[in-house]
């Protein structure tokens, strides 16, 4: 089939236009659904930090269920700057923490979500970001009213080794963090270490690493330490 | 109407399941077969996506085959395949978000899945649209069959579950001292499993054995 | 500089395109019968990757990403063309491969004949598109990091195919059971090599 150059040109142009139009149409029509999925996923992560939402998979309408749970438990949210002062007029949910972490530390803003647990206690949920072995790891750490005791945590990853590092997104790993503290008796920031079997344990400040997933586990440790360090000014200003 | 489901078309559907299997015989589409077979659910969605894309790209290219200028043949094929894959990817992100996250880059890699280009060149460019559509489904299913077998073994032996249902736990195997085979979760095991599948297939079909 | 060396070593050994991600399998299995053709194809893949991935990086950064068109006009900050990524990436790859094909045919006809159909097939080599997609996910800070990543990915792929070819040449003299001969034993070989490469996990300079 030897077609003339004009034919080839017209053919290519028509093909490109048709394909681009169809794809643009599909992308536009589907975007609201995709956005909603992303929103639900984020809300679910925040809820997981306070041990809620684990049954969302069996709900009839996952999006509605997660929305309802989120609205029930997350009562307030605000944004604060590196100095620890709240910034009114900004929506915490819309802050993309991974984008903020790419900016200079003085240009960042951070979100915090306030949650009322079933027993009436007030929790502060902070986002955490870091690196694992194969890619980024992130999550949320919930602190009690004393802004010291951890009341819950959630971690997730992009491509850690299944069965090993990937286990950081399981409840058993995350439950370890409950009742651990960030500050010691004297008020110094220790954070929480993730220790292997042969390392001496610190009663209030350590949890067990995943066997065979040391690098990812240490990644969780530095993720918490580095992220929470950014929030120290805010914590100091709001501690009772 | 009887032509639509002629014996020839039936062969197009069944041959790729065994004697002309894309993965074990034609050696196409290996890349994604390994990475997404850790669990059955993503493997199944992947297989479904490949069947859909192969069938429809075969259909479209076959319908256009007489009008495509020879010089830009490959590019046109790539554009059609890429457009279909983008559609599938957008649909997955909209309606089965969790699975699309598990499949991540591998949905995009369907574009370079050798099975697609292979069938387009070997079949769709020289056959009628409906036959090409059926051929696409057949090869997609052959690919899917291997994916399901490998993912079943890897999930059962590596995580103790089948389609996320905790079979080993329910059978009480863990309390009896059974431990999940960690190696099964690793990608290299998928290669070895396919090697074994090829071994079994060729033991039963002597004419597939390579000559010295 | 240390950052680049770490990234290079990591991409060649720890996150090897073949042994960690299993990308580029088809031509990997088909062209690994002799070391000579393996070296030729490996070199071609390195070349294609080093050109296409950074080009795609620039396209991603200045054209496709959400909000990337702000350099044209601030009003375009909401435009998100990322759904066109696959098509743009593969078009760039196909065009560059076509160019490479013409260059190889002109400057080394013997290599061109030795590689045969597998030279144009680099365009659909999952490793090349996969490299572009990983680049998109990893969001490198600048184009030089991307070049290091592409070079490392290509070299990693080349090392894999050359080693496999070396082993396959030797294994022709072993007593492999007939049903396993050729393809079957190759799969098992690659699996074992991949397990061996896992020993590099966590390696840092």
């Amino acid at each position: 089939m030897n077609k003339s150059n004009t034919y080839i040109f017209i053919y290519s142009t028509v093909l490109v236009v048709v394909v681009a139009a169809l794809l643009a149409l599909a992308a536009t029509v589907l975007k609201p659904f995709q956005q909603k999925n992303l929103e639900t996923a984020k809300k679910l992560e925040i809820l997981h930090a306070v041990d809620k939402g684990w049954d969302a998979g069996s709900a009839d309408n996952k999006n509605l269920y997660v929305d309802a749970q989120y609205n029930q438990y997350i009562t307030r949210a605000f944004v604060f700057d590196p100095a620890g002062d709240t910034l009114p007029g900004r929506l915490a949910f819309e802050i993309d923490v991974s984008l903020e972490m790419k900016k200079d530390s003085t240009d960042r803003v951070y979100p915090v979500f306030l949650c009322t647990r079933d027993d009436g206690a007030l929790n502060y949920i902070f986002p955490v970001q870091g690196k694992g072995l194969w890619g980024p790891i992130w999550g949320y750490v919930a602190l009690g009213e004393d802004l010291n005791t951890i009341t819950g945590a959630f971690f997730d990853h992009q491509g850690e080794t299944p069965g090993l590092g990937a286990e950081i997104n399981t409840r058993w790993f995350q439950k370890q963090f409950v009742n651990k503290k960030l500050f010691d008796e004297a008020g110094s920031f220790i954070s929480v270490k993730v220790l292997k079997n042969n390392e001496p344990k610190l009663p209030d400040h350590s949890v067990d690493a995943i066997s065979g997933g040391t690098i990812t586990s240490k990644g969780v440790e530095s993720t918490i330490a580095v992220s929470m360090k950014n929030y120290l000014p805010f914590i100091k200003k709001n501690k009772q | 109407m009887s032509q639509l489901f002629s014996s020839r078309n039936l062969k197009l559907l069944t041959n790729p399941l065994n004697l002309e299997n894309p993965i074990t015989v034609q050696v196409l589409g290996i890349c994604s077969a390994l990475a997404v077979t850790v669990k059955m659910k993503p493997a199944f969605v992947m297989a479904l996506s490949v069947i859909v894309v192969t069938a429809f790209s075969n259909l479209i290219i076959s319908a256009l085959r007489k009008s495509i200028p020879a010089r830009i043949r490959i590019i046109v094929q790539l554009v059609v395949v890429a457009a279909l894959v983008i559609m599938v990817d957008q649909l997955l992100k909209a309606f089965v978000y969790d699975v699309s996250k598990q499949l991540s880059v591998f949905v995009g890699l369907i574009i370079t899945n050798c099975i697609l280009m292979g069938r387009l060149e070997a079949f769709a460019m020289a056959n009628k649209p409906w036959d090409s559509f059926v051929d696409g489904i057949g090869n997609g299913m052959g690919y899917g069959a291997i994916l399901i077998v490998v993912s079943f073994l890897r999930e059962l032996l590596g995580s103790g579950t089948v389609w996320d249902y905790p079979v080993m736990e329910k059978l009480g195997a863990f309390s009896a001292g059974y431990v999940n085979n960690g190696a099964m979760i690793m990608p290299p095991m998928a290669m070895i499993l396919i090697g074994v599948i090829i071994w079994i297939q060729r033991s039963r079909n002597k004419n597939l054995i390579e000559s010295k | 500089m240390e950052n680049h060396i770490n990234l290079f070593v990591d991409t060649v050994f720890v996150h090897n395109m073949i042994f960690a991600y299993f990308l580029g399998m088809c031509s990997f299995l088909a062209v690994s019968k002799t070391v000579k053709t393996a070296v030729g194809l490996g070199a071609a893949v390195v070349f294609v990757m080093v050109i296409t991935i950074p080009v795609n990086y620039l396209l991603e950064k200045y054209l496709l990403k959400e909000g990337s068109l702000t350099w044209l006009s601030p009003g375009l900050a909401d435009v998100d063309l990322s759904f066109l990524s696959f098509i743009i990436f593969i078009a760039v790859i196909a065009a560059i491969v076509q160019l490479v094909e013409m260059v190889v045919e002109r400057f080394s006809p013997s290599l061109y004949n030795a590689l045969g159909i597998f030279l144009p097939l680099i365009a659909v080599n999952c490793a090349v598109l996969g490299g572009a997609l990983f680049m998109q996910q990893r969001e490198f800070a600048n184009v030089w990091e991307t070049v290091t990543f592409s070079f490392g990915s290509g070299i990693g792929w080349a090392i894999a195919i050359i080693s496999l070819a070396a082993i396959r040449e030797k294994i022709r003299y072993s007593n492999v059971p007939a049903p396993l001969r050729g393809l079957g034993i190759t799969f098992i070989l690659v699996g074992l090599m991949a397990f061996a490469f896992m020993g590099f996990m966590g390696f840092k300079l």
Side-chain angles (χ1 to χ4, degrees):
Chain A
M1 277 171 287
N2 254 331
K3 310 279 177 117
S4 68
N5 279 337
T6 334
Y7 179 82
I8 295 184
F9 185 73
I10 299 178
Y11 196 89
S12 329
T13 321
V14 170
L15 183 69
V16 166
V17 167
V18 168
V19 165
L22 279 174
L23 290 180
L25 181 69
T28 328
V29 164
L30 293 174
K31 199 151 182 100
F33 295 96
Q34 296 169 353
Q35 283 295 97
K36 189 68 186 152
N37 282 332
L38 289 171
E39 203 186 287
T40 304
K42 189 169 178 178
K43 287 184 176 168
L44 209 50
E45 288 184 352
I46 297 175
L47 285 171
H48 284 334
V50 285
D51 210 24
K52 291 271 162 227
W54 291 103
D55 47 0
S58 49
D60 283 330
N61 185 324
K62 185 168 170 185
N63 288 337
L64 286 177
Y65 177 74
V66 171
D67 279 345
Q69 290 269 293
Y70 186 82
N71 292 333
Q72 180 185 347
Y73 287 103
I74 311 299
T75 43
R76 284 175 60 201
F78 38 84
V79 179
F80 59 94
D81 65 14
D85 298 313
T86 354
L87 299 165
R90 297 209 53 176
L91 282 174
F93 193 80
E94 302 192 343
I95 306 288
D96 184 340
V97 183
S98 52
L99 268 178
E100 294 298 318
M101 295 304 269
K102 292 205 176 114
K103 302 180 184 165
D104 291 328
S105 52
T106 39
D107 293 333
R108 296 179 197 155
V109 292
Y110 306 108
V112 63
F113 304 90
L114 268 65
C115 161
T116 313
R117 305 291 291 262
D118 287 326
D119 58 5
L122 182 68
N123 280 184
Y124 292 79
I125 307 178
F126 294 93
V128 292
Q129 285 260 317
K131 267 197 339 187
L133 168 62
W134 293 80
I137 54 182
W138 62 88
Y140 293 90
V141 171
L143 299 179
E145 277 192 54
D146 62 353
L147 280 169
N148 182 12
T149 319
I150 297 183
T151 51
F154 172 76
F155 305 104
D156 205 356
H157 61 88
Q158 192 174 296
E160 302 305 294
T161 322
L164 301 176
E167 297 286 292
I168 60 169
N169 65 5
T170 53
R171 283 175 91 176
W172 70 261
F173 178 76
Q174 294 158 5
K175 271 210 169 100
Q176 297 185 91
F177 289 86
V178 178
N179 286 330
K180 300 293 170 185
K181 297 187 177 8
L182 293 179
F183 300 90
D184 68 6
E185 309 280 308
S188 324
F189 177 68
I190 310 274
S191 186
V192 179
K193 311 280 175 212
V194 185
L195 301 171
K196 297 204 295 187
N197 271 336
N198 56 354
E199 295 173 296
K201 304 278 182 272
L202 310 157
D204 287 332
H205 296 283
S206 75
V207 299
D208 292 334
I210 297 171
S211 324
T214 315
I215 299 172
T216 314
S217 305
K218 291 293 178 193
V220 171
E221 180 183 304
S222 62
T223 299
I224 301 177
V226 169
S227 299
M228 295 314 275
K229 242 205 199 104
N230 289 322
Y231 309 143
L232 286 180
F234 175 84
I235 291 179
K236 287 204 164 60
K237 285 197 171 152
N238 288 277
K239 237 178 172 190
Q240 272 97 352
Chain B
M1 197 61 186
S2 63
Q3 260 228 332
L4 282 179
F5 294 103
S6 63
S7 62
R8 176 177 180 242
N9 282 342
L10 205 59
K11 275 230 177 61
L12 288 178
L13 275 182
T14 54
N15 271 349
L17 282 174
N18 187 15
L19 286 175
E20 284 175 23
N21 188 291
I23 294 189
T24 58
V25 179
Q26 298 182 52
V27 198
L28 301 171
I30 315 277
C31 317
S32 44
L34 308 170
V36 303
T37 46
V38 182
K39 292 224 160 157
M40 286 188 80
K41 209 149 106 184
F44 182 72
V45 173
M46 184 59 150
L48 217 56
S49 311
V50 169
I51 294 177
V52 165
V53 178
T54 317
F56 280 99
S57 64
N58 263 15
L59 180 71
I60 295 176
I61 293 292
S62 173
L64 293 175
R65 74 187 185 283
K66 298 222 171 82
S67 68
I68 303 178
R71 277 226 291 237
I72 56 171
R73 192 177 85 244
I74 301 281
I75 301 250
V76 170
Q77 288 172 354
L78 276 174
V79 168
V80 169
V81 172
L84 280 167
V85 170
I86 295 181
M87 287 282 199
V88 168
D89 182 51
Q90 295 287 316
L91 284 166
L92 288 180
K93 280 206 182 89
F95 297 116
V96 268
Y97 179 69
D98 299 321
V99 180
S100 87
K101 268 210 312 185
Q102 283 176 310
L103 290 176
S104 91
V105 294
F106 291 99
V107 174
L109 286 177
I110 297 180
I111 302 177
T112 48
N113 188 319
C114 325
I115 298 180
L116 267 91
M117 293 299 284
R119 292 329 288 170
L120 287 177
E121 282 286 282
F123 200 88
M125 287 301 287
N127 285 280
K128 299 219 193 67
W130 175 253
D131 296 346
S132 304
F133 187 73
V134 172
D135 175 85
I137 296 187
N139 276 279
M141 288 205 307
Y143 169 85
I146 299 290
L147 246 66
I148 297 288
V149 170
V150 174
S151 64
F152 171 74
L153 287 168
R154 286 181 77 189
E155 187 177 350
L156 180 65
L157 297 173
S159 316
T161 60
V162 173
W163 199 274
D164 286 334
Y165 183 77
V167 168
M168 286 300 180
E169 211 180 296
K170 300 283 181 191
L171 284 177
F174 290 130
S175 26
Y178 171 81
V179 177
N180 279 331
N181 184 336
M184 280 287 169
I185 303 190
M186 312 271 159
M189 210 57 207
M191 286 299 273
I192 299 186
L193 278 174
I194 297 186
V196 171
I197 293 178
I198 294 178
W199 193 351
I200 299 176
Q201 192 188 24
R202 291 188 181 188
S203 304
R204 301 177 65 203
N205 295 294
K206 296 278 190 299
N207 47 347
L208 285 175
I209 295 182
E210 291 175 38
S211 48
K212 268 202 184 285
Chain C
M1 192 60 199
E2 195 200 301
N3 191 18
H4 283 269
I5 298 185
N6 249 329
L7 180 60
F8 180 73
V9 171
D10 179 86
T11 327
V12 173
F13 293 108
V14 183
H15 291 96
N16 186 292
M17 275 295 180
I18 292 271
F19 294 126
Y21 295 116
F22 289 103
L23 294 177
M25 271 291 153
C26 311
S27 36
F28 175 72
L29 292 169
V31 184
S32 52
K33 295 212 177 95
T34 65
V35 174
K36 212 153 152 249
T37 42
V39 172
L41 187 62
V45 167
V46 172
F47 190 68
V48 171
M49 275 194 176
V50 168
I51 301 187
T52 57
I53 300 183
V55 168
N56 282 326
Y57 170 79
L58 292 170
L59 285 171
E60 164 80 7
K61 196 162 170 186
Y62 294 112
L63 182 69
L64 296 169
K65 224 166 48 162
E66 187 167 7
S68 55
L69 285 174
T70 42
W71 58 272
L72 254 184
S73 127
L76 293 173
D78 273 338
V79 174
D80 180 10
L81 292 175
S82 57
F83 66 94
L84 285 176
S85 303
F86 294 159
I87 277 198
I88 303 258
F89 286 172
I90 197 82
V92 168
I93 294 174
I96 305 258
V97 170
Q98 182 76 12
L99 242 128
V100 170
E101 229 190 308
M102 297 196 301
V103 167
V104 169
E105 192 181 4
R106 171 93 167 64
F107 289 108
S108 174
S110 55
L111 180 62
Y112 184 77
N113 286 327
L115 287 177
I117 185 88
F118 289 103
L119 193 46
L121 275 183
I122 298 180
V124 287
N125 184 324
C126 329
V128 182
L129 181 62
L133 293 175
F134 284 137
M135 167 279 294
Q136 197 184 34
Q137 263 191 358
R138 286 174 71 160
E139 294 181 358
F140 291 109
N142 56 53
V143 77
W144 300 115
E145 273 190 19
T146 319
V147 171
T148 311
F149 168 74
S150 333
F151 189 57
S153 304
I155 294 279
W157 197 89
I159 290 184
I161 196 176
I162 296 173
S163 346
L164 183 65
I167 299 182
R168 283 184 81 178
E169 275 190 359
K170 292 273 194 281
I171 214 169
R172 276 213 289 272
Y173 302 107
S174 318
N175 262 333
V176 180
L180 264 184
R181 206 184 294 144
L183 193 65
I185 197 68
T186 308
F187 267 91
I188 299 188
L189 267 173
V190 178
L192 290 173
M193 286 170 85
F195 269 126
F197 262 70
M198 283 181 75
F200 287 115
M201 254 208 292
F203 184 75
K204 247 198 179 102
L205 283 172

PDB file of all heavy atoms in Angstrom, chain A residues 28 52 83 177:
ATOM      1  N   THR A  28     -11.894  13.802  31.205  1.00  0.00           N
ATOM      2  CA  THR A  28     -12.756  14.797  31.840  1.00  0.00           C
ATOM      3  C   THR A  28     -13.943  14.140  32.528  1.00  0.00           C
ATOM      4  O   THR A  28     -14.286  14.477  33.665  1.00  0.00           O
ATOM      5  CB  THR A  28     -13.287  15.796  30.792  1.00  0.00           C
ATOM      6  OG1 THR A  28     -12.319  15.962  29.783  1.00  0.00           O
ATOM      7  CG2 THR A  28     -13.613  17.122  31.428  1.00  0.00           C
ATOM      8  N   LYS A  52      -9.669   3.560  63.063  1.00  0.00           N
ATOM      9  CA  LYS A  52     -11.027   3.512  62.527  1.00  0.00           C
ATOM     10  C   LYS A  52     -10.973   3.238  61.024  1.00  0.00           C
ATOM     11  O   LYS A  52      -9.948   3.461  60.384  1.00  0.00           O
ATOM     12  CB  LYS A  52     -11.740   4.869  62.751  1.00  0.00           C
ATOM     13  CG  LYS A  52     -12.040   5.138  64.191  1.00  0.00           C
ATOM     14  CD  LYS A  52     -13.389   4.576  64.608  1.00  0.00           C
ATOM     15  CE  LYS A  52     -13.493   4.460  66.108  1.00  0.00           C
ATOM     16  NZ  LYS A  52     -14.003   3.186  66.559  1.00  0.00           N
ATOM     17  N   ALA A  83       6.733  28.027  62.476  1.00  0.00           N
ATOM     18  CA  ALA A  83       6.925  28.614  63.810  1.00  0.00           C
ATOM     19  C   ALA A  83       5.885  28.104  64.796  1.00  0.00           C
ATOM     20  O   ALA A  83       5.936  28.416  65.981  1.00  0.00           O
ATOM     21  CB  ALA A  83       6.856  30.134  63.713  1.00  0.00           C
ATOM     22  N   PHE A 177       2.623   1.179  68.325  1.00  0.00           N
ATOM     23  CA  PHE A 177       2.970   2.555  68.662  1.00  0.00           C
ATOM     24  C   PHE A 177       2.067   3.157  69.735  1.00  0.00           C
ATOM     25  O   PHE A 177       2.390   4.207  70.293  1.00  0.00           O
ATOM     26  CB  PHE A 177       2.926   3.417  67.394  1.00  0.00           C
ATOM     27  CG  PHE A 177       4.055   3.129  66.447  1.00  0.00           C
ATOM     28  CD1 PHE A 177       3.963   2.105  65.514  1.00  0.00           C
ATOM     29  CD2 PHE A 177       5.231   3.872  66.497  1.00  0.00           C
ATOM     30  CE1 PHE A 177       5.001   1.823  64.654  1.00  0.00           C
ATOM     31  CE2 PHE A 177       6.282   3.603  65.633  1.00  0.00           C
ATOM     32  CZ  PHE A 177       6.169   2.577  64.715  1.00  0.00           C
TER      33      PHE A 177
END
